[in-house]
Amino acid sequence: MTEAHLSSNTLREAVALASRAPSLFNVQPWRWRAVAGSLELVLDRSRALPETDPTGRELALSNGAALHHAVLALRALGWPARVHRLPNPDEEADLLARIDVVAAAEPGEIDLALAGAACVRQADRRQYQPEPVPAPLLRELVLAGEAAGADVLVAEGDQRYALAQAFMKASVVHGASERYRRELAAWTGLSSVETEGMPEYSSPLHGRQYGDLVVRDYGRVSVAHKEAGSPRTAGSLLLISTANDDVAAHLAAGEATSAVLCQAELEGLASCPLSEAFEVPETRAFVRRAVLHDAGYPQLAIRVGWPSVSGRPPQTPRRPVRELLQDLVDRHPD
């Protein structure tokens, strides 16, 4: 197709929705290029977190979520997309994907619904209601993630216990690392006027624990959420894993994460990605051995449940599209 088929407004809307994707500490490690009628996703290494994510695995995973969000946006705007992942790995390793649109088409109801879910979805770090999520709903989330290219496991029994142990041990390791604490403090507890990082209102209480699950300790953040109900519950735990552990697998894990989160939003569930247990090599290896029996690589966990507090949590800020989208002027007329 020719570049004139996509207007600059369409590109901006797609990038705006893609920017709503989740990322570690809300660093938003992506850039977009409008090139010859395609939309290219480029890893932004200036957003690296060397202490928390020394290999860049979570940067790629975050970009996978942004890629999935962008495709949802284009479909909802009437442009079904074809994705080329890692299109030029030898010459441009940070070019993670190129999105081509195949032809204009009327969006379906599910396209519009999923794009709407991506637009309003926000990590809910509060406690959830004690009522369990029904198995059929959990199965829908599993299928959504698997359709996006990763494996999804509902962790129960011994598997959940092992995951909870991994999160607890990882929190201890991180708590003893001064360099990690400095990096965490640089990106969390920020003013609401920031366009990146986690504002104070979006963080849980210091040292918060939900039932059997220890969530990330956000250090100097000390903001109270008004929550009712006892006991504190973490909800169900889903584990995203992949057969391989390369950049392509990390992208797929991010796409699956986006798919699960958006499907959860459609079902009226609260959700929150959890990554701390996979940021410490020892605890990640433990999960691989104890939960996956060395048959895959754990990438991310997601907790889901019924929200216990009325109203949505506030959305975290996002970088403006003008900072994220390059090569737009004179290429895609409105």
Side-chain angles (χ1 to χ4, degrees):
M1 60 170 293
T2 64
E3 59 186 87
H5 286 171
L6 283 181
S7 71
S8 58
N9 281 340
T10 296
L11 289 168
R12 280 191 287 263
E13 288 184 48
V15 171
L17 184 58
S19 74
R20 295 305 317 168
S23 60
L24 179 61
F25 301 163
N26 193 31
V27 300
Q28 304 164 60
W30 45 68
R31 292 184 290 111
W32 296 90
R33 298 190 309 218
V35 179
S38 299
L39 192 59
E40 294 183 340
L41 173 61
V42 182
L43 176 64
D44 186 351
R45 292 193 181 274
S46 72
R47 327 299 293 179
L49 297 164
E51 298 303 324
T52 312
D53 181 34
T55 67
R57 180 183 63 85
E58 289 192 72
L59 292 185
L61 195 153
S62 298
N63 273 268
L67 174 61
H68 187 264
H69 271 45
V71 170
L72 291 181
L74 288 170
R75 287 177 178 169
L77 291 167
W79 296 101
R82 180 169 52 242
V83 178
H84 306 276
R85 296 163 184 83
L86 305 176
N88 194 13
D90 295 330
E91 297 184 14
E92 195 173 4
D94 289 344
L95 175 58
L96 299 181
R98 184 176 66 246
I99 306 174
D100 297 327
V101 293
V102 292
E106 190 71 22
E109 290 186 10
I110 188 61
D111 298 321
L112 296 172
L114 286 171
C119 185
V120 301
R121 180 215 62 84
Q122 176 62 35
D124 192 337
R125 298 181 177 88
R126 303 169 295 188
Q127 68 172 334
Y128 301 158
Q129 292 185 23
E131 289 78 14
V133 178
L137 278 189
L138 292 175
R139 182 59 181 164
E140 289 297 319
L141 302 183
V142 169
L143 292 175
E146 290 178 344
D151 296 318
V152 184
L153 169 72
V154 179
E156 299 175 320
D158 290 345
Q159 294 170 331
R160 180 177 177 120
Y161 177 78
L163 267 180
Q165 290 295 302
F167 277 99
M168 181 181 67
K169 293 176 182 177
S171 71
V172 172
V173 172
H174 274 166
S177 171
E178 183 178 346
R179 291 185 299 181
Y180 164 81
R181 305 296 294 181
R182 285 199 300 264
E183 186 170 85
L184 178 73
W187 287 96
T188 61
L190 304 179
S191 164
S192 59
V193 301
E194 302 285 347
T195 62
E196 59 198 13
M198 292 179 58
E200 189 176 29
Y201 61 71
S202 70
S203 303
L205 279 171
H206 178 85
R208 180 58 64 96
Q209 180 169 350
Y210 296 107
D212 61 344
L213 188 67
V214 175
V215 299
R216 193 189 299 273
D217 171 9
Y218 284 89
R220 61 190 176 90
V221 177
S222 180
V223 56
H225 293 300
K226 294 181 179 179
E227 299 179 356
S230 180
R232 294 174 180 162
T233 54
S236 297
L237 282 180
L238 279 64
L239 177 63
I240 307 291
S241 66
T242 54
N244 300 311
D245 200 29
D246 52 15
V247 175
H250 304 157
L251 272 177
E255 292 179 82
T257 297
S258 171
V260 170
L261 295 175
C262 291
Q263 187 65 39
E265 180 68 33
L266 283 185
E267 302 292 352
L269 296 168
S271 64
C272 181
L274 302 171
S275 60
E276 190 168 21
F278 316 112
E279 294 160 4
V280 176
E282 294 80 5
T283 52
R284 188 179 184 222
F286 170 76
V287 173
R288 182 171 189 248
R289 180 177 65 254
V291 179
L292 299 177
H293 307 293
D294 293 325
Y297 294 88
Q299 303 293 352
L300 193 82
I302 301 174
R303 67 182 185 105
V304 297
W306 303 111
S308 63
V309 182
S310 61
R312 298 178 182 276
Q315 286 194 320
T316 48
R318 290 300 191 268
R319 300 163 68 188
V321 171
R322 64 178 179 276
E323 293 182 7
L324 302 174
L325 181 57
Q326 301 175 339
D327 297 338
L328 178 64
V329 178
D330 296 329
R331 287 180 178 272
H332 299 271
D334 289 317

